[in-house]
Amino acid sequence: MINNHVNELDGTLAALADPTRRKVIELLRDGPRPAGELAQAVQMSAPALSRHLRVLRAGGLVEAAAGGDDARLRLYTLRREPFTALQSWLDQVQAFWAEQLGSFKDHVERGG
């Protein structure tokens, strides 16, 4: 279970490591968008953006569904689960540091 969680987190972080992919995530926060619109927004060719979308899909961060009347049109949307898992991990790291700083504060106040 822990290894699976770590592998998912690794995939999420790897997908988010690229600034273009982070920009795509930001754009998709406003709602589903077709690949062509995303490519135009990040000023990238459709084939180049397609590689980024493939990484985001493989990392589970986005999903594509047929959109509208044209079955060839793919609308990309964000998936909640990987972001929830990432936030949970960040919360655990934050809790660790809060505990460490609290212990240090107690130590200093005791004059140690």
Side-chain angles (χ1 to χ4, degrees):
M1 176 75 175
I2 289 176
N3 282 341
N4 190 33
H5 178 70
V6 169
N7 289 340
E8 289 174 9
L9 186 58
D10 287 348
T12 298
L13 292 172
L16 292 173
D18 184 274
T20 298
R21 293 192 287 268
R22 289 192 305 272
K23 178 67 176 168
V24 168
I25 295 297
E26 289 175 26
L27 291 165
L28 291 175
R29 286 186 352 208
D30 294 333
R33 292 191 182 202
E37 186 178 312
L38 292 168
Q40 192 172 33
V42 297
Q43 299 177 343
M44 183 174 281
S45 70
L49 183 67
S50 178
R51 290 187 286 276
H52 288 289
L53 290 171
R54 195 173 315 125
V55 171
L56 290 169
R57 281 193 320 267
L61 298 170
V62 302
E63 59 189 6
D69 297 331
D70 187 348
R72 296 171 298 167
L73 179 67
R74 309 298 287 169
L75 287 179
Y76 287 85
T77 59
L78 292 177
R79 294 187 63 244
R80 177 182 299 272
E81 297 85 355
F83 295 101
T84 301
L86 176 59
Q87 185 62 56
S88 176
W89 181 78
L90 290 171
D91 290 345
Q92 292 169 17
V93 172
Q94 175 62 34
F96 167 79
W97 284 112
E99 181 181 331
Q100 293 297 310
L101 292 173
S103 295
F104 179 69
K105 179 182 179 230
D106 292 345
H107 175 74
V108 170
E109 289 175 349
R110 287 192 308 267

